[in-house]
Amino acid sequence: HHFNKEHHKFQIGLKINYIIATMNRIAQTAFPSRYIQGPGAIKMLPSLVSNFGSSGLNIVDPFVHDHILPGLDLTEKSKQTNITLVTEVFSGECTETEIQRLVDSGKKAGVGCVIGLGGGKTLDTAKAVSSYLSVPILICPTAASTDAPTSARAVIYNERGEVLRYLDLARNPDVVLLDTEIIVKAPVRLFISGMGDALSTYFEAESCRVKGAANSTCGAGHVHPGTLTSYVIAETCYKTLLNYGKAALVSAKAGAPTPAFEHVVEANTLLSGVGFESAGLGCAHAVHNGLSELAECHKYYHGEKVAIGVLTGLFFSDASQEIMDEVYTFCESVSLPTTLADIGITEMTEEKLDIIANRTVVAEESIHNELKPVSAAAVKAALLAADAEGRRRKNLLS
């Protein structure tokens, strides 16, 4: 197994680079204050809220409100702990208007904390509301589809659903709670996408480690490299995916929260979340942003496009054939995309290549954390080669 053969070399390089980096710069790693995961974990919510006062503003997405919340019996459990949960149904878009509506509701109720229960935009909205109210935030994802829940960042959109700005919070969430009885019932494609996002963590962290690049700590101005802990967590994230990914996917399809499923939920959420924020980003997420410029890619999930970014990054960074085989094999084993057609690009033109590559290499993009020289031409070559390798392995390359 290539990962194990390279492990000792990685550890030596890690220690040397860490010593050099910390001689010259402050290093920083960010964590949520508490991470809780397991079947039935949502039942702990009223007790957790009681740590922050007698009431909480519970922001819930519409699907969760209608189909999941009624079966959780949180109202009765809240009464038992003398807690009031003020439930507000999220409108569907994380806009300034929606945030202000919920802030007003929280102020009126005098809540001691904010809870976000649902998908990504629900959680972003809850983070923003807690920041504006200056109260603790409890994040409760209902899918393990990205690594955003643990981060100190929220994405604010306009009324048309376009990104307006990023809101960096003063601290990471006070509690991140994942009830795997709920998460295992989420669409399997979301879980696979989470593995795609998590797959990038080790490779981007390694690029940042080797270059001594700044990490992505959202509340700290993106100026510090990670600590030793952040790189080890990123390594563990990758190892967890390789060891448990296939079994976790089988478990997800069966609706069974097995130990393998639990391990990968943790990798998708905590390990990848701390890894990306505290070790840093690289080529994969920059390519994701380039791919997102094309209309045909809009219906594909974040982690699906990141997976193509990982494969592109392997060619961009001149990875060995052993590593390429390991990563492509993993992607194939868990149904992650390995070709451009898999994310909707059935015909690649020079114009589309230019759009992707030019967006990937803009000055503020994370691809500049890579050791190799960055150019649009290099990105085009890597993207085309990654697609060709994916097609070759599917016996589609003539």
Side-chain angles (χ1 to χ4, degrees), residues 283-296:
C283 180
H285 276 80
V287 170
H288 163 277
N289 294 340
L291 292 168
S292 297
E293 293 290 306
L294 300 185
E296 53 259 63

Side-chain angles (χ1 to χ4, degrees), residues 48-119:
L48 292 166
V49 169
S50 71
N51 293 327
F52 307 114
S54 60
S55 64
L57 178 64
N58 190 22
I59 301 171
V60 184
D61 79 27
F63 180 86
V64 173
H65 180 267
D66 294 342
H67 300 282
I68 297 176
L69 196 61
L72 298 182
D73 197 25
L74 290 181
T75 301
E76 183 59 34
K77 290 181 175 62
S78 297
K79 289 179 180 177
Q80 293 171 4
T81 51
N82 295 316
I83 292 298
T84 301
L85 291 181
V86 180
T87 298
E88 290 280 2
V89 180
F90 174 53
S91 71
E93 197 60 80
C94 181
T95 63
E96 296 285 6
T97 300
E98 175 67 354
I99 292 166
Q100 191 57 56
R101 178 183 76 84
L102 295 166
V103 167
D104 292 343
S105 175
K107 284 182 177 177
K108 182 178 179 181
V111 297
C113 66
V114 173
I115 304 123
L117 180 59

Side-chain angles (χ1 to χ4, degrees), residues 331-363:
C331 288
E332 291 160 353
S333 73
V334 297
S335 302
L336 279 168
T338 58
T339 69
L340 292 172
D342 289 339
I343 56 167
I345 308 174
T346 54
E347 181 182 354
M348 179 57 81
T349 65
E350 194 63 35
E351 181 184 6
K352 290 178 182 178
L353 266 178
D354 284 338
I355 291 170
I356 296 167
N358 291 336
R359 175 61 180 85
T360 299
V361 301
V362 295

Side-chain angles (χ1 to χ4, degrees), residues 118-141:
K121 289 188 177 182
T122 304
L123 304 183
D124 276 352
T125 303
K127 286 181 181 179
V129 171
S130 75
S131 178
Y132 291 2
L133 288 173
S134 298
V135 297
I137 176 69
L138 293 81
I139 294 294
C140 305

Side-chain angles (χ1 to χ4, degrees), residues 216-230:
S216 301
T217 42
C218 296
H222 306 262
V223 295
H224 304 300
T227 65
L228 179 65
T229 301
S230 63

Side-chain angles (χ1 to χ4, degrees), residues 107-310:
K107 284 182 177 177
K108 182 178 179 181
V111 297
C113 66
V114 173
I115 304 123
L117 180 59
K121 289 188 177 182
T122 304
L123 304 183
D124 276 352
T125 303
K127 286 181 181 179
V129 171
S130 75
S131 178
Y132 291 2
L133 288 173
S134 298
V135 297
I137 176 69
L138 293 81
I139 294 294
C140 305
T142 50
S145 55
T146 76
D147 53 17
T150 64
S151 75
R153 168 167 284 187
V155 185
I156 313 300
Y157 298 82
N158 62 24
E159 305 295 341
R160 296 184 299 277
E162 301 162 340
V163 175
L164 184 65
R165 66 186 179 93
Y166 297 99
L167 174 65
D168 284 349
L169 311 180
R171 65 180 186 274
N172 292 71
D174 298 273
V175 176
V176 176
L177 184 150
L178 290 90
D179 187 326
T180 45
E181 284 183 351
I182 295 172
I183 289 171
V184 80
K185 296 173 185 174
V188 172
R189 185 181 163 198
L190 289 173
F191 184 64
I192 295 171
S193 177
M195 287 193 275
D197 199 15
L199 181 63
S200 70
T201 303
Y202 166 74
F203 295 100
E204 295 186 301
E206 175 69 352
S207 295
C208 291
R209 179 189 69 81
V210 171
K211 193 167 184 176
N215 63 20
S216 301
T217 42
C218 296
H222 306 262
V223 295
H224 304 300
T227 65
L228 179 65
T229 301
S230 63
Y231 301 117
V232 172
I233 286 173
E235 172 195 4
T236 304
C237 181
Y238 181 53
K239 186 175 182 180
T240 302
L241 293 177
L242 293 183
N243 288 342
Y244 299 105
K246 287 190 289 184
L249 178 56
V250 169
S251 302
K253 290 178 177 178
T258 63
F261 181 78
E262 296 283 351
H263 296 327
V264 175
V265 167
E266 182 179 354
N268 287 5
T269 311
L270 180 63
L271 301 181
S272 187
V274 174
F276 100 78
E277 191 173 15
S278 295
L281 298 175
C283 180
H285 276 80
V287 170
H288 163 277
N289 294 340
L291 292 168
S292 297
E293 293 290 306
L294 300 185
E296 53 259 63
C297 293
H298 288 176
K299 66 181 180 180
Y300 292 90
Y301 293 145
H302 174 78
E304 294 170 334
K305 288 176 281 188
V306 168
I308 294 296
V310 172

